[in-house]
Amino acid sequence: MLAVSLFTKVLDYLNSMLKDPLALFAIAMTLLVLFCWYFATEIERRKRNIGTFLVLGVAALCFLAVYPPKERLKGSIDIVGGSSFSLRVQSRLSEDGVTKEPVTATQIDQAKKVIEQRINGMGNAEPLISQQGSDGILLQMPGIDPEESKRIRTILEKVAHLELRQVHPDSDQLSQTKEFVPGYKLFTLKRKNKEGVETSSPILLNRRVALGGSDIKSAAPSSMSIGTVDITLNSAGEDKMIELTRNMTPGKDSIAIVLDGEVISAPVVQSVPLGRRFEVNGLDKPGEAVNLSNALMNPLENPLVVEEERTVSPTLGAAVVQQGIWAGVLGLILTFAFVLVYYRTAGFVALIGLLLNCLMLFGVMAMLGFPFSLPGIAGIVLTIGVAVDANVLINERLREELALGKSVKASLGAAYDKAFSAIFDSNMTSLITAIILLCFASASVKGFAVTLTIGILCSLFSAILATRVLFLWGTDLNLLKRLSFLNLISSKNFDFMGKRVPCILLSILVTIISIGTFAVKKERSLGIDFTGGTRVQFLLGQVQIPTADVEKALAGLPLNKAVFPQDETNPTSGKLLTIRCDSRDADLVEAKMREVFPALSEKVTDAQGTHYKIDASREEVSGYLGGSLLVSSMLALGLGLVGIMIYVTIRFEFSFAIGAFIALIHDCVIAAGLVVLFGHELSLIHVGAILTIAGYSINDTIIIFDRIRESFHERRGTLLEIMNEAINATLSRTVLTSTATLVCVLALAVLGGAALRDFSIVILIGIVAGTYSSIFVASPIVFWWSKGKHGQMRPDALDANLAAEVSTTGR
């Protein structure tokens, strides 16, 4: 117990050091110096020692960053429940009242500050507020319930633009005739009569605003009267109020109180002149006086529009966590077991590298304060699956070097040197797609992009540096005298390039079918992320409500658009019912569901026997935001493909870039088309998955291209022979990596929730399509482009090809 207590105190002390910016900077600079020194030195023993200190230092820093995990690892709303709002700051009219002024950075900052003050004024601490694009703001509120979310939305949309205007003395007569009066404008006054019925009547107000929100010093609910707000003006406001009421006739003249363009009251002045205090009454709704006081104390310069709202009940959030954990644990166990069994001792070293990769990923996420989201969980599991690729490349190269009769130490050096270019290039192309996602994707996909970006960098460190240090210690201590591997995929000599014509024709056919699916289904192929609308979800557990019954129950409602109910069953959380509808119909749909199906208002039991009340989770997207997300998603896809093409051109040749580009288009179109063909709607999570496919597919393609590039220098033969040999040489790596990644993604598809399953299905399709296109699309395109007049292969490659053709024909 004493040792545990001492260990805890040491960890607490080290954690306190990490909170000191100067100490953290010193540690980071030390690790950076070690990193540079490691790659600069050519002395193997020194490289081993520096690498050891570097690995231990990074591991210790990341461990401290995640300790204790409950405090340091944060969850987003889809993990812990809560609400998020995507807000758009609207532009204001200029002084001429016609043209609109562009939204400025100052106005965005003012809106963010007001949002934070209003949320804190409601007793909700630690809102997560960030800017999106040029005029957007993302507000996340983890842990709040759906009812609180509705109240927050009302507060957010209230501009609280208060105006006091003079009422025309003959307003009652002139407003009825609707006669034009210079300097005055017609408004509508809403008030309740003695029976409590709201009535409307026209009222004529001065066009000039006498007092505004900037003249308010304080606003608070009245302690003397219910539904009343006491307002105190500042000195400038007091002067304006005296000037306004100085010449008024008590008991006859009135002042109109206008809030956000609506006349809420027009009290008669009882004494003149008025001073710095007055009151706003007639606020009959529960909490309306408190909300108005809060809004008046934090007025917005520009109106806000809620473009997207996502509300996840704590029950659904807990179910999501359970699904993600089970899927992640199973995927990791299967991947680790695969590596350990197939590569044995070398697999054990790779396993340590993968565990370090996980620790680094969690540590960096904790240090940077990034919350874990549902797409983030998918990114973590996929990152581990892709991280296996680097270890497979190294171990397959190691197998080849050992087969040449080299010693273990010499084989290790050659394996890492030869695998480095392929590992670096393949990871850099994936990093390009991840960075583009970070810049252009929506908030829901950025969680995936963050984990993917961090995971790629951690993978490079653990595979290239950490595992090599372990191997160096093993050889120096004579612990690694021999290495053995399973060899289920032996070297073959398949004529892949000989099948290029029928395979290209097959790809063209599937691509046409995929594009045709979008043409036939049109708008039905797109989810609410792109078309706008609301998705209402009920976590039913063991309650059975068939979708046919849902359709019957909602059939008689006066809906603006047709509803689309869907259900799915998950082994860890039970049944989830999803209803897609128009945003204007969401409240009506939920109320009707609870009326027709009483079980939705009662406590139910999930698959584990836990009792809970069914809360409705919602995701709402406006048509405006849906259209902009579609444009930004297409832009992200286009930039991702162009970025990869530019990188491949620089690192290889233009003919290789053309082959890679066409293969990527092939994979993305087929993945998106088959998703729609199977009855799913394309959403933002699919866009993230498609970009991931692009990165994964280019990995496969670059590994083959790298071997082709290497063969140009080492072997002579025709282009077809060199390409066939390169594809066959990398076949075992292609199959093994695809299998490892498929295992991870399959775990997500089987145990993950709706979003994880949608993501996984696209990845599964993409892995198959990407593996196929790397062999049967990219390489043939490179061959045809290089042989034609459109491009030119590197001179040494063409010289080797020409020499081989001459020797074959005997000329």
Side-chain angles (χ1 to χ4, degrees):
M1 292 296 293
L2 181 61
V4 173
S5 177
L6 181 61
F7 180 70
T8 304
K9 288 182 179 180
V10 170
L11 289 179
D12 291 338
Y13 172 74
L14 293 175
N15 260 322
S16 64
M17 284 184 58
L18 292 181
K19 295 179 182 179
D20 181 3
L22 186 60
L24 188 60
F25 176 77
I27 294 172
M29 289 304 299
T30 302
L31 293 176
L32 180 61
V33 170
L34 288 175
F35 184 81
C36 297
W37 194 5
Y38 173 86
F39 285 100
T41 184
E42 295 294 333
I43 302 174
E44 195 170 86
R45 184 180 295 274
R46 183 182 296 169
K47 183 184 288 285
R48 181 200 67 189
N49 294 335
I50 296 171
T52 302
F53 283 112
L54 184 59
V55 170
L56 292 177
V58 169
L61 183 64
C62 292
F63 177 78
L64 290 173
V66 299
Y67 177 84
K70 288 186 177 181
E71 297 178 10
R72 304 304 297 271
L73 300 179
K74 301 177 181 179
S76 62
I77 63 166
D78 48 11
I79 300 295
V80 299
S83 294
S84 71
F85 301 89
S86 290
L87 309 167
R88 180 164 55 90
V89 181
Q90 292 185 304
S91 56
R92 295 183 301 180
L93 291 175
S94 58
E95 293 182 357
D96 60 15
V98 179
T99 59
K100 289 187 175 183
E101 300 175 346
V103 178
T104 64
T106 302
Q107 291 170 339
I108 293 288
D109 292 337
Q110 190 267 346
K112 288 166 61 177
K113 182 179 179 181
V114 169
I115 290 171
E116 183 174 9
Q117 290 171 341
R118 289 186 180 183
I119 297 300
N120 290 338
M122 297 174 64
N124 296 286
E126 297 185 3
L128 305 175
I129 304 172
S130 59
Q131 185 172 341
Q132 281 188 309
S134 60
D135 61 352
I137 296 175
L138 175 67
L139 169 65
Q140 291 184 306
M141 299 290 297
I144 66 171
D145 57 44
E147 290 301 321
E148 183 73 1
S149 175
K150 294 179 181 179
R151 193 161 74 94
I152 289 175
R153 176 166 183 159
T154 303
I155 289 292
L156 291 174
E157 292 181 317
K158 182 176 287 296
V159 180
H161 183 61
L162 185 71
E163 300 173 343
L164 268 66
R165 296 173 183 257
Q166 181 184 7
V167 181
H168 194 286
D170 299 321
S171 174
D172 291 340
Q173 292 79 17
L174 294 175
S175 59
Q176 294 298 329
T177 61
K178 297 184 179 180
E179 181 180 344
F180 174 74
V181 180
Y184 285 83
K185 182 179 180 182
L186 202 61
F187 284 77
T188 300
L189 172 63
K190 294 181 180 180
R191 65 179 72 184
K192 291 184 179 180
N193 57 24
K194 295 180 180 180
E195 289 75 23
V197 179
E198 188 176 84
T199 60
S200 300
S201 59
I203 185 171
L204 195 62
L205 306 183
N206 197 315
R207 287 182 177 273
R208 188 178 66 85
V209 178
L211 284 89
S214 60
D215 300 312
I216 295 175
K217 180 180 180 181
S218 64
S222 174
S223 59
M224 305 297 293
S225 177
I226 299 176
T228 301
V229 175
D230 291 330
I231 296 177
T232 302
L233 300 174
N234 54 30
S235 58
E238 182 180 9
D239 294 339
K240 292 178 182 178
M241 179 65 82
I242 293 174
E243 181 65 26
L244 171 66
T245 59
R246 182 192 307 275
N247 299 319
M248 286 188 174
T249 303
K252 180 181 178 181
D253 290 334
S254 303
I255 299 175
I257 300 174
V258 184
L259 182 65
D260 293 341
E262 294 185 3
V263 182
I264 60 175
S265 65
V268 177
V269 176
Q270 300 299 329
S271 62
V272 296
L274 294 179
R276 66 167 56 199
R277 290 185 175 85
F278 68 97
E279 63 182 29
V280 177
N281 50 31
L283 306 172
D284 303 323
K285 296 180 181 178
E288 191 173 7
V290 175
N291 293 342
L292 178 59
S293 302
N294 187 15
L296 288 175
M297 290 302 294
N298 303 287
L300 282 166
E301 293 182 4
N302 297 65
L304 293 176
V305 175
V306 177
E307 298 288 0
E308 178 187 25
E309 178 184 353
R310 293 182 63 224
T311 301
V312 180
S313 69
T315 304
L316 182 58
V320 166
V321 173
Q322 191 177 41
Q323 294 165 2
I325 289 175
W326 276 107
V329 169
L330 180 61
L332 293 179
I333 289 176
L334 292 176
T335 302
F336 291 168
F338 168 77
V339 172
L340 195 58
V341 170
Y342 198 86
Y343 290 112
R344 299 173 184 174
T345 304
F348 180 74
V349 174
L351 182 59
I352 296 175
L354 292 174
L355 290 173
L356 177 62
N357 192 6
C358 292
L359 177 61
M360 291 174 62
L361 178 57
F362 280 87
V364 174
M365 292 283 287
M367 279 188 280
L368 298 180
F370 289 124
F372 287 89
S373 62
L374 184 61
I377 292 176
I380 291 171
V381 176
L382 186 64
T383 296
I384 300 303
V386 174
V388 175
D389 183 43
N391 290 282
V392 170
L393 276 171
I394 293 169
N395 289 332
E396 288 301 307
R397 283 286 191 175
L398 183 57
R399 183 202 302 273
E400 293 176 11
E401 297 300 322
L402 289 171
L404 296 175
K406 296 182 181 179
S407 66
V408 172
K409 193 167 188 175
S411 298
L412 283 169
Y416 275 92
D417 291 342
K418 291 184 177 181
F420 177 80
S421 61
I423 293 173
F424 181 81
D425 288 335
S426 60
N427 278 274
M428 284 303 297
T429 50
S430 296
L431 193 60
I432 288 172
T433 60
I435 291 174
I436 289 173
L437 272 175
L438 279 174
C439 296
F440 296 98
S442 70
S444 58
V445 180
K446 281 185 178 179
F448 167 77
V450 167
T451 54
L452 184 61
T453 302
I454 296 173
I456 290 171
L457 298 176
C458 295
S459 174
L460 281 170
F461 179 87
S462 63
I464 295 176
L465 194 150
T467 57
R468 186 166 191 175
V469 169
L470 290 173
F471 275 125
L472 287 174
W473 277 108
T475 54
D476 289 348
L477 297 177
N478 291 321
L479 298 176
L480 291 178
K481 297 181 179 179
R482 60 184 299 272
L483 291 172
S484 61
F485 312 93
L486 283 180
N487 192 18
L488 301 179
I489 306 171
S490 56
S491 298
K492 300 291 183 182
N493 191 25
F494 296 112
D495 185 15
F496 290 106
M497 294 296 291
K499 310 296 188 297
R500 59 189 182 278
V501 174
C503 289
I504 288 290
L505 293 176
L506 176 62
S507 293
I508 293 173
L509 176 62
V510 178
T511 303
I512 292 174
I513 293 174
S514 299
I515 296 174
T517 303
F518 282 98
V520 171
K521 292 198 172 185
K522 298 180 180 177
E523 187 175 324
R524 289 179 298 161
S525 63
L526 302 177
I528 67 168
D529 291 336
F530 302 124
T531 62
T534 296
R535 186 183 293 117
V536 183
Q537 293 182 317
F538 298 93
L539 185 62
L540 302 179
Q542 302 302 306
V543 175
Q544 298 297 320
I545 300 180
T547 54
D549 293 350
V550 175
E551 291 176 352
K552 291 179 182 178
L554 302 177
L557 293 179
L559 301 176
N560 291 281
K561 287 185 179 180
V563 295
F564 302 97
Q566 294 178 323
D567 63 0
E568 63 163 300
T569 301
N570 188 278
T572 59
S573 61
K575 196 171 186 179
L576 179 68
L577 176 65
T578 302
I579 302 174
R580 175 184 169 184
C581 62
D582 189 279
S583 296
R584 295 166 292 179
D585 302 328
D587 291 334
L588 185 60
V589 167
E590 181 180 346
K592 188 65 175 179
M593 287 292 295
R594 294 192 183 279
E595 175 189 336
V596 176
F597 305 104
L600 296 179
S601 301
E602 302 171 356
K603 285 193 173 182
V604 298
T605 305
D606 63 12
Q608 282 70 41
T610 305
H611 300 279
Y612 64 92
K613 181 183 176 182
I614 298 178
D615 291 320
S617 297
R618 290 192 188 186
E619 181 176 359
E620 178 184 340
V621 181
S622 70
Y624 171 86
L625 183 63
S628 65
L629 289 177
L630 181 59
V631 173
S632 64
S633 299
M634 296 301 295
L635 179 64
L637 279 170
L639 289 176
L641 294 175
V642 171
I644 290 173
M645 186 174 179
I646 292 173
Y647 183 83
V648 175
T649 301
I650 295 172
R651 289 290 293 165
F652 294 86
E653 292 182 6
F654 185 67
S655 57
F656 285 82
I658 291 294
F661 183 80
I662 294 176
L664 289 178
I665 294 289
H666 165 275
D667 299 341
C668 294
V669 170
I670 288 179
L674 292 183
V675 165
V676 176
L677 185 64
F678 292 156
H680 295 269
E681 298 172 342
L682 207 61
S683 65
L684 281 175
I685 194 69
H686 291 131
V687 173
I690 289 171
L691 270 174
T692 306
I693 290 169
Y696 180 85
S697 174
I698 197 66
N699 275 11
D700 252 356
T701 305
I702 280 184
I703 300 305
I704 295 175
F705 285 178
D706 183 74
R707 187 58 71 100
I708 293 174
R709 178 174 57 185
E710 179 183 321
S711 298
F712 286 156
H713 300 288
E714 298 180 356
R715 297 171 178 81
R716 302 186 69 84
T718 65
L719 288 179
L720 281 178
E721 291 173 348
I722 290 175
M723 288 182 170
N724 255 328
E725 184 178 347
I727 295 171
N728 279 280
T730 57
L731 183 61
S732 60
R733 171 262 158 206
T734 300
V735 174
L736 292 173
T737 303
S738 298
T739 302
T741 311
L742 275 170
V743 166
C744 281
V745 178
L746 200 58
L748 289 175
V750 174
L751 295 179
L756 284 175
R757 185 169 298 131
D758 289 344
F759 180 90
S760 306
I761 288 173
V762 182
I763 296 295
L764 286 172
I765 296 171
I767 290 174
V768 176
T771 303
Y772 174 89
S773 68
S774 298
I775 297 174
F776 296 108
V777 176
S779 297
I781 294 296
V782 173
F783 174 77
W784 285 325
W785 189 273
S786 302
K787 292 285 287 183
K789 62 181 180 180
H790 304 289
Q792 183 175 352
M793 188 74 73
R794 192 166 45 239
D796 59 340
L798 289 178
D799 291 344
N801 180 62
L802 180 61
E805 289 180 347
V806 169
S807 63
T808 302
T809 58
R811 291 178 291 171

